[in-house]
Amino acid sequence: MLLEIHEPGQTPLPHESVSAIGIDLGTTNSVVAVSQSGKPEVICDEHGVALLPSVVAYGDDGGATVGAAASALIQEQPDRVVSSIKRLMGRGIDDLNAVAGTLPFDVATDERDGMVRLSLAGRTLSPVEISADILRATRARAETGLGREVTRAVITVPAYFDDAARTATKDAARLAGLEVLRLVNEPTAAALAYGLDQGAEGLYAVYDLGGGTFDISVLRLEKGVFQVLATGGDAALGGDDFDHAIAEHLLSARGVGEGTLSAGEIKSVLATARAAKEGLTTADSVSVELTVGGETTTHTIDRATFEQLIAAHVGRTIEICRQVLDDAGFAPDETKGVVLVGGSTRVPAVHNAVADFFGGRPLGNIDPDAVVALGAALQAEALTAGSDTLLLDVTPLSLGLGTMGDLVEKIIHRNTPIPVARAQEFTTYQDGQTGMIIHVVQGEREMVDQNRSLAKFELTGIPPMVAGAARIRVTFAVDADGLLTVTAREETTGTESKVEVKPSYGLAEGVIERMLHDSLAHAQEDVTRRLLTEARVDAERVILATRAALTADVALLENGEGAVIESAIATVETAAAADDRDAIQAAIEALDHAAQPFAQRRMDRSIAAALGGKSIDAIDAELQNTENTGPT
Ligand code: ADP
Ligand code: MG
């Protein structure tokens, strides 16, 4: 959820010098903009071009060339040129398989830190270093355009970027000499550009289809307050997929398999496909020349064929829109308008599908290539010029921790506005327990192992107390950039332990979405499993308590009673080892029943003792034995 609090009619303070820029660090193209007195403008290069291709070429001297000049080298020297590096931001080796096929370059991996590295022109570079080169180029462009030094920026990221990818983006900015004032989600920035410009009230959707990612947000504008109600998307869906579809079509027309092509040839075929695609935005039919294996052939593609090739991809974006609206509890026709963002929304089939689904003409009066950077620039100005604009985003997945029986206790729910801090109290499970493992997980499922593990840390130095007496307060805080810090504190002594969650690598493409999908698909199953686990935890607790009582008060047992209780315990143990929750509960009840007279005698004696003023330890012991919650 995004919340924009802006006093109606109040404009940011006037200021003399521009000190912060907005950067749309795109998978395909990057754009830099600056805002002065609430008027954002794109900063173009010396030829008046706004888009800076997010492509970097490395020379033998280690120098980096960024943008169109680097794109031009793709075909001649493919092994020196990197594109779409954003897809690897914050990724680890484990994530590579999921994205390998979608990358237009070869990826090397580095065992040192588990992070992805690329081998280029005899050097080994990380995605962070490569992104830093792109950011340096945007910074240089801004400095040239503005005629002054620029050191601060608001940078946009896809709504689905996780902690690792956001941290990687910040690291890249730092390498490029830029202080990041705020990371803002791309659809949020676009919404901001429109919201501030127009101020029209109602429900809006932001549909962003770029080169490599798709994002959809639902937001509401009301009395100067601008709130995003839900977000969703697919980190592996965009115009690149359209290029691939055309490339495959062309290659199959030539009867060649993609596997037989060199890296340079693949890049050349993709470039041809992309030109064809962009041509089809305005023309009904285009003709292209394809050169593979030294042989050139000419092919004609018409728009209808192209639309067939991409129909499944376009349909998928609409399906995601439907899900997100559903999540937010709205019908498509309840939206007052839909904002188009990203170069791929220029494709007529995309434009039309969006118009059909939302039942109205999409808003496109701000250039879809520039709208994100313009929104970022507005936010940069707001953050430096001291306006009343407060911008918040939402957590894409729930954050929680593992508790008894490996159940997940959600602390911050999905779609909660950030920054946010939430705390919950837990207690110890065993007498004398001095440490507690806090296992932080992200996801919607009920069990720890079905969610993504973010971090595990231990709170030590809890003073030995009876089970249930310690008060451990666990606080989850997500900052404005979406980064999570978890603190655990034992309240009676103030013992504290803390972890900043920076996973060593991010989620594989599509994983967040799959996690959401799984949580819906398995909702019933999860509830069943949760109930079963709770029954097992219950069984264990009852067995422990009964055994402790038997040991403590053997003398209170009557003839044969001990054996009956032992056999009831055995039945509970057997039931707990199986998967029938009802059987476990029945066994627990039977045990309660069998132990009832014995428990009654213990109780009577404890009360008598207490009334006799001798000791209340026995009563305490009874109470302690029934308390046991908290993380394992
Ligand atoms: P990103 O946000 O991923 O950096 P952009 O918003 O810059 O991407 O969009 C880039 C994508 O838009 C590319 O796939 C590009 O081919 C596509 N694109 C740009 N212009 C057009 C056009 N006129 N027709 C169709 N697709 C276009
Ligand atoms: Mg974009």
Side-chain angles (χ1 to χ4, degrees):
M1 192 171 292
L2 170 151
L3 202 60
E4 151 103 61
I5 299 160
H6 190 76
E7 286 293 309
Q10 203 161 356
T11 45
L13 297 170
H15 52 96
E16 291 126 37
S17 75
V18 177
S19 52
I21 52 175
I23 301 173
D24 171 6
L25 180 60
T27 311
T28 322
N29 297 299
S30 294
V31 181
V32 56
V34 68
S35 177
Q36 301 183 66
S37 309
K39 289 199 182 60
E41 267 177 39
V42 167
I43 306 173
C44 294
D45 69 3
E46 64 273 25
H47 308 296
V49 177
L51 299 190
L52 175 73
S54 304
V55 180
V56 191
Y58 290 92
D60 285 329
D61 58 352
T65 308
V66 180
S71 299
L73 290 174
I74 282 182
Q75 286 165 46
E76 289 159 45
Q77 301 184 293
D79 51 338
R80 296 186 172 282
V81 184
V82 198
S83 57
S84 296
I85 193 61
K86 189 173 173 181
R87 284 183 180 247
L88 290 181
M89 289 296 270
R91 298 298 163 95
I93 289 168
D94 294 349
D95 300 319
L96 271 184
N97 290 342
V99 294
T102 71
L103 299 173
F105 44 79
D106 293 329
V107 176
T109 51
D110 191 313
E111 299 295 337
R112 283 175 304 182
D113 57 2
M115 298 304 286
V116 173
R117 291 288 189 289
L118 279 74
S119 290
L120 286 154
R123 295 211 292 159
T124 304
L125 291 161
S126 69
V128 168
E129 291 167 297
I130 295 164
S131 291
D133 283 324
I134 299 170
L135 287 171
R136 266 187 211 106
T138 61
R139 181 180 171 208
R141 179 181 283 196
E143 291 186 335
T144 305
L146 299 170
R148 67 172 76 89
E149 196 188 10
V150 172
T151 56
R152 296 188 291 175
V154 165
I155 300 178
T156 57
V157 291
Y160 272 68
F161 256 24
D162 66 358
D163 269 14
R166 283 168 199 262
T167 304
T169 304
K170 281 187 130 179
D171 290 347
R174 204 172 310 128
L175 278 181
L178 286 168
E179 178 200 342
V180 179
L181 296 173
R182 182 76 55 93
L183 294 177
V184 174
N185 286 343
E186 288 156 11
T188 302
L192 193 59
Y194 273 96
L196 291 184
D197 282 358
Q198 305 187 340
E201 303 207 341
L203 199 67
Y204 287 84
V206 180
Y207 177 105
D208 179 352
L209 190 62
T213 54
F214 170 61
D215 283 290
I216 174 77
S217 301
V218 183
L219 54 105
R220 180 161 51 208
L221 299 177
E222 197 177 28
K223 295 195 184 77
V225 176
F226 180 27
Q227 190 180 30
V228 172
L229 304 173
T231 63
D234 186 336
L237 181 58
D240 293 349
D241 296 298
F242 298 177
D243 302 349
H244 275 280
I246 294 180
E248 274 166 32
H249 176 74
L250 291 175
L251 289 174
S252 83
R254 273 284 292 270
V256 271
E258 213 176 311
T260 63
L261 302 182
S262 69
E265 281 176 325
I266 290 177
K267 286 180 182 184
S268 135
V269 174
L270 286 173
T272 304
R274 181 168 176 170
K277 172 189 75 176
E278 294 184 5
L280 285 168
T281 289
T282 44
D284 287 334
S285 155
V286 293
S287 123
V288 294
E289 291 192 338
L290 185 67
T291 307
V292 281
E295 212 184 302
T296 303
T297 45
T298 305
H299 304 260
T300 302
I301 306 173
D302 59 23
R303 196 185 278 168
T305 307
F306 171 57
E307 289 181 355
Q308 259 171 15
L309 292 173
I310 62 166
H313 295 307
V314 178
R316 180 149 165 64
T317 66
I318 299 299
E319 216 28 66
I320 295 171
C321 291
R322 196 187 308 280
Q323 270 173 28
V324 168
L325 278 175
D326 237 40
D327 255 16
F330 295 108
D333 61 6
E334 281 178 82
T335 53
K336 193 161 180 177
V338 53
V339 177
L340 295 180
V341 181
S344 298
T345 60
R346 293 211 169 89
V347 173
V350 171
H351 194 282
N352 294 340
V354 174
D356 279 355
F357 177 73
F358 287 97
R361 197 138 32 89
L363 282 174
N365 57 327
I366 300 181
D367 183 349
D369 289 324
V371 64
V372 168
L374 295 173
L378 281 168
Q379 187 63 17
E381 187 187 20
L383 289 168
T384 49
S387 90
D388 303 308
T389 303
L390 175 67
L391 188 62
L392 304 176
D393 275 314
V394 295
T395 53
L397 290 169
S398 299
L399 297 162
L401 47 77
T403 63
M404 283 307 303
D406 283 336
L407 290 170
V408 173
E409 182 76 32
K410 286 178 189 160
I411 309 289
I412 295 176
H413 285 263
R414 169 166 118 76
N415 277 340
T416 300
I418 55 172
V420 63
R422 296 260 159 88
Q424 193 150 322
E425 249 181 45
F426 294 91
T427 186
T428 43
Y429 180 65
Q430 280 170 348
D431 286 348
Q433 185 177 335
T434 56
M436 183 180 275
I437 305 268
I438 311 281
H439 189 180
V440 184
V441 297
Q442 186 174 39
E444 307 313 307
R445 304 286 299 274
E446 299 277 357
M447 307 299 298
V448 167
D449 62 5
Q450 294 163 336
N451 290 287
R452 180 172 191 243
S453 171
L454 288 182
K456 228 180 204 181
F457 68 103
E458 192 172 10
L459 173 67
T460 51
I462 300 172
M465 286 181 246
V466 293
R471 281 170 43 231
I472 291 128
R473 194 173 169 79
V474 179
T475 306
F476 277 49
V478 181
D479 71 12
D481 297 323
L483 298 173
L484 170 70
T485 305
V486 178
T487 317
R489 184 184 153 90
E490 201 292 301
E491 296 281 32
T492 57
T493 57
T495 310
E496 194 170 281
S497 191
K498 184 173 167 171
V499 63
E500 202 172 312
V501 180
K502 281 188 186 169
S504 57
Y505 59 86
L507 293 182
E509 304 219 357
V511 167
I512 290 183
E513 200 198 324
R514 197 176 67 229
M515 287 166 86
L516 289 177
H517 181 260
D518 280 359
S519 74
L520 296 175
H522 297 281
Q524 186 53 46
E525 192 187 302
D526 281 0
V527 168
T528 309
R529 195 163 158 195
R530 182 172 194 117
L531 289 174
L532 176 62
T533 305
E534 279 171 356
R536 283 184 180 144
V537 170
D538 228 28
E540 200 176 317
R541 177 181 63 76
V542 170
I543 291 171
L544 272 176
T546 312
R547 287 238 161 92
L550 286 177
T551 316
D553 288 314
V554 163
L556 290 180
L557 286 170
E558 292 184 349
N559 257 354
E561 198 177 36
V564 172
I565 294 173
E566 280 295 352
S567 122
I569 288 177
T571 309
V572 175
E573 278 176 336
T574 310
D579 290 338
D580 184 347
R581 172 190 175 238
D582 291 342
I584 299 173
Q585 284 188 320
I588 291 171
E589 264 173 50
L591 171 58
D592 275 346
H593 186 75
Q596 174 63 30
F598 169 62
Q600 190 62 49
R601 284 193 295 279
R602 293 188 77 220
M603 188 69 82
D604 291 348
R605 192 208 43 183
S606 294
I607 290 170
L611 290 178
K614 285 175 196 156
S615 160
I616 55 166
D617 285 356
I619 297 170
D620 269 348
E622 291 269 300
L623 293 175
Q624 284 154 17
N625 278 337
T626 61
E627 276 281 358
N628 53 12
T629 53
T632 48

